[in-house]
Amino acid sequence: MKRQESNKLTLNDGSSIAVVGGGPAGSFYSYFALDFAERFGIKLNLEIIEPKNFHCAGPKGCNHCGGIVSESLIQMLSGEGIVFPSKVIRNGIESYTLHLEQGSSVMETPFNEQKIASMFRGIGPLGIKENGQVSFDNYLLDLCLEKGATLVREKVTDAARTKDGIILTMSDGSKKEYDLVVGAVGLNKKTLALFKNICPALKEPAQTKTYISEFHLGKTLTEKYIGDSMHVFLLNVPKIKFGAIIPKGDFVTLVLLGKNIKKEDVHKFLQSDTVKKLLPSNFDLTRLSSCQCYPSINTRGAKSAYDDRVILIGDSASSKLYKNGIGAAYTTGKAAATTSVFMGISRRDFKKYYRSVCRELDSDNAVGKFIFWVTGIIQKSNIIKLALLNQVIEEQKKPHHKRMMSSILWDTFTGSTSYKNIFTRCLNPNVIASLISNIFRSYKSKKPKKIKMKGITLGRRYRDGEIIIKQGDVGDCLYVVQSGKVELIYDNGQGEVRIAELGSNEFFGEMGLFERDVRSCTVRACGEAKILTIDRRNFYKTIHKDPTLAYNLLQKMSYRIREINKKLA
């Protein structure tokens, strides 16, 4: 169904939506569209069309992803009610180890808890053993189904316009008309060609080939040689911007990013002395691969990725250059959902409200290209790389707030912030002065510190009875319960009063986001609990762009006040 007022196309109660693609972009769109529609008082018939089973090992369940989620995205999703359970996470990343031909240095997380997560988009590579883990994509898809979406296990083979909608033809020969079609098909050329039938002005994204491979090392060797650190390589290997080795339980993932990477480029990287030094001498990574592929990535956003009743999101539209494709899927998916539910589904609506989000990503990528151009110069200069390494080693001895170059590199590797923000910080006179100073210093070899694994987790782990926040302390952040339970205790001067018990996905300490005041009660763990933190900086940055996080917070606070009133009554 559709509602048309003054020639304006809008969604109404009973409108049908087809989301083509069940990866992160499609799932984020579906989750938020159904959530917004519920607030708006309408019911949508939303179908996610995805033939792939993300719970399969190997290529059948693979979605070609390095598998890192940044701490800023984890915080934003936690505020939206999407809290990753431990069964989705393969490793919490506690540090980055920077490797150059001149040596290596560990860069510790600038935060007090693990918020960088490594995971598999599918269940894992060939040869993985079932251990109760859940794939990232499957977890998001299940959240959408809980919201009311329907999963269609077919491929779209044709798309055509009618007067009142879009007709999709499935691989089983069935046809169905929809009021809105959302494309979350990545860079699949065949499917993008189908979308040109219903979105004729579309200009596909520019793309290049990268390399991803999974290696089975086993838990013991992964712990000994890789640890809970993501190993990043800035080597003078042509066509490769940088490489990364990421721990994922019994496996490690190798990601090489650059321009049209081929087999010979991979071989040069793996045979470099710097890479060989990381692992035992008898290991030949060229022969240990469980799965490998050369997936395409978005290097320039699409043009006119929308039309009446049609919109493309994620890699099909705009992504973040070389980094954080999941973050871009979240950004574009939510923006498309906001536009289609609250504004309308015409080309004019998408151009007015959705295009600006894609343009912001594309504009930031232009700065990113300049940053990687400079990185290419650094990779070829032994003197500058030596100075950079010296600077990082020195900074690791300083307090977190004084590790300026380290924080720049951390955010570049994780994709936690914009390229514009990174570039602005690079222009800091202190950063430049320190780098120039280090260029004139001699360098002494230093081996990277080996890091002991601390388990697969994201937030901080609290033992039974351990205090998380204390009544009377000053606070400025919000806490989300990832798993376990906590109890809220108020000391009235005569003794402790138990106010409430909170479980998974519930939050506390929210007043610290709005006023820097003392905590009104003590919160402690009931049994073992894992807690995530959302700091004030990320909270305000998020609601400035999108106020729905604040809406969710107010909705939960309102519910909590009603419950307190019931108890008082």
Side-chain angles (χ1 to χ4, degrees), residues 4 11 24 188 234 257 285 364 372 436:
Q4 194 163 347
L11 296 173
N188 187 300
L234 294 179
L257 297 175
L285 288 181
D364 192 58
F372 284 108
I436 292 174

Side-chain angles (χ1 to χ4, degrees), residues 51 69 291 333 343 354 419:
V69 184
C291 288
M343 310 303 177
Y354 173 70
Y419 286 125

Side-chain angles (χ1 to χ4, degrees), residues 2 5 27 87 98 131 133 160 175 181 278 296 333 354 363 368 378 404 429 440 448 464 502 568:
K2 68 178 187 301
E5 298 175 358
S27 290
K87 60 185 179 180
L98 176 64
N131 56 1
Q133 293 291 106
K175 297 183 179 184
V181 174
L278 181 63
S296 296
Y354 173 70
S363 173
I378 294 174
M404 293 182 287
F440 294 100
D464 183 31
L502 305 178
L568 290 174

Side-chain angles (χ1 to χ4, degrees), residues 11-132:
L11 296 173
N12 198 4
D13 198 45
S15 290
S16 59
I17 302 176
V19 179
V20 185
S27 290
F28 283 133
Y29 174 88
S30 302
Y31 180 90
F32 289 114
L34 292 169
D35 186 55
F36 296 158
E38 184 179 357
R39 296 183 203 173
F40 206 45
I42 61 175
K43 180 175 175 57
L44 300 175
N45 295 319
L46 188 147
E47 295 181 354
I48 300 174
I49 303 172
E50 176 55 70
K52 187 178 292 185
N53 182 354
F54 298 123
H55 200 69
C56 290
K60 289 184 178 179
C62 176
N63 233 358
H64 310 302
C65 175
I68 285 289
V69 184
S70 68
E71 82 285 344
S72 59
L73 180 59
I74 288 170
Q75 288 194 23
M76 286 188 285
L77 292 177
S78 297
E80 304 280 11
I82 303 174
V83 180
F84 300 127
S86 297
K87 60 185 179 180
V88 174
I89 307 304
R90 299 297 171 142
N91 264 94
I93 304 297
E94 291 185 331
S95 64
Y96 276 69
T97 303
L98 176 64
H99 296 275
L100 308 171
E101 289 92 343
Q102 292 75 14
S104 305
S105 177
V106 173
M107 293 187 295
E108 296 178 347
T109 171
F111 302 94
N112 295 324
E113 60 177 89
Q114 293 176 205
K115 293 181 187 173
I116 309 293
S118 72
M119 43 66 183
F120 289 120
R121 294 278 301 278
I123 198 62
L126 292 172
I128 195 168
K129 295 180 180 179
E130 288 286 345
N131 56 1

